[in-house]
Amino acid sequence: MRTIRKLLSNAVVLTYLLAAATGIHLVSWGVWFGLSKSDWGTWVGSIGTVLTLAGTIWIATDTARQRRKEQIDLAVIYAAQFSLQIRAMQGALQSSVNVLPACLDVPDPRPALKKSGDILAAATMWTSSDLVPLVVVPDHAAARLAFLKVRIENTILTLSKAGTSPQPFPRGSILAYYQKRQREIFEAKDGLEAPLQACLDFLKQHGFED
């Protein structure tokens, strides 16, 4: 009995059984309709065409299912990785914004601006190819991370240019500059919450707790 149950749970065996049952059923129809010898040739050919088509559809569907399973498995691996990497980036963003106030009320704000940018530059940033496996994660997690990557890199570039400029920073504009960079960093940090939660929910959905 166990052997029979095992065989019946096999998709290939079930497919062959279904094909055989379908063939027998179609032959029975031919007998019932009283087909002539010439009709039987056409009828059998039609049966073969139908079974071939059914087999092709099954193979294509099975291949698609297998590909989908592989995509999910890969996405689970990357979602676990990104759940840690996003948190690390949030920590870097917080550290970066923590040093920004040091640029205020000092003769030269450039060292503080450079330090803020260096903190972000030292954090591990994901690439576009890293995000490809995450396209199956809900809530457009991959697209959100791609967008935030550009924003963070722009902030790094802006801070780096200001911090390494050979010209002294205009004193009258440092407050506005500080406030703009601070807002950018906080928005990026908050923006990472949605893809982080999407990765955590995806992991939980597939049997992995945070």
Side-chain angles (χ1 to χ4, degrees):
M1 182 62 73
R2 288 183 180 178
T3 303
I4 294 175
R5 287 180 180 175
K6 186 176 181 180
L7 288 173
L8 291 177
S9 64
N10 187 293
V12 176
V13 173
L14 285 176
T15 301
Y16 278 117
L17 290 175
L18 179 61
T22 303
I24 293 171
H25 189 62
L26 291 173
V27 169
S28 299
W29 275 7
V31 173
W32 187 75
F33 281 113
L35 299 179
S36 65
K37 290 183 179 180
S38 59
D39 290 336
W40 270 110
T42 304
W43 185 248
V44 171
S46 300
I47 293 174
T49 301
V50 171
L51 293 179
T52 300
L53 178 59
T56 301
I57 293 173
W58 182 86
I59 291 173
T61 303
D62 186 64
T63 301
R65 281 197 299 266
Q66 182 62 29
R67 187 181 299 114
R68 175 67 177 178
K69 182 180 181 301
E70 291 172 355
Q71 288 177 334
I72 293 295
D73 289 343
L74 186 60
V76 167
I77 295 172
Y78 273 78
Q81 173 186 319
F82 268 92
S83 65
L84 299 176
Q85 192 170 353
I86 292 172
R87 284 169 170 156
M89 179 57 74
Q90 286 180 317
L93 288 163
Q94 186 62 56
S95 297
S96 175
V97 81
N98 286 345
V99 304
L100 266 183
C103 73
L104 301 173
D105 301 323
V106 292
D108 187 1
R110 286 176 296 180
L113 298 177
K114 182 178 183 302
K115 183 177 180 181
S116 180
D118 287 346
I119 291 173
L120 288 181
T124 302
M125 179 63 74
W126 46 89
T127 66
S128 298
S129 59
D130 292 334
L131 297 174
V132 173
L134 292 182
V135 295
V136 298
V137 176
D139 200 26
H140 308 291
R144 290 176 186 272
L145 288 170
F147 174 73
L148 289 166
K149 173 182 183 291
V150 174
R151 293 196 63 178
I152 294 170
E153 288 178 339
N154 284 339
T155 299
I156 293 172
L157 181 61
T158 302
L159 287 169
S160 178
K161 283 184 176 180
T164 59
S165 173
Q167 302 297 326
F169 202 96
R171 294 301 309 156
S173 60
I174 184 60
L175 179 60
Y177 182 90
Y178 158 77
Q179 291 174 336
K180 186 173 183 179
R181 298 289 84 77
Q182 182 188 53
R183 183 170 61 254
E184 286 177 358
I185 294 172
F186 276 133
E187 287 177 352
K189 182 174 179 287
D190 292 342
L192 287 171
E193 278 298 322
L196 172 60
Q197 192 58 53
C199 286
L200 294 176
D201 290 344
F202 185 78
L203 289 170
K204 186 175 182 180
Q205 178 185 350
H206 291 87
F208 295 87
E209 297 294 336
D210 181 22

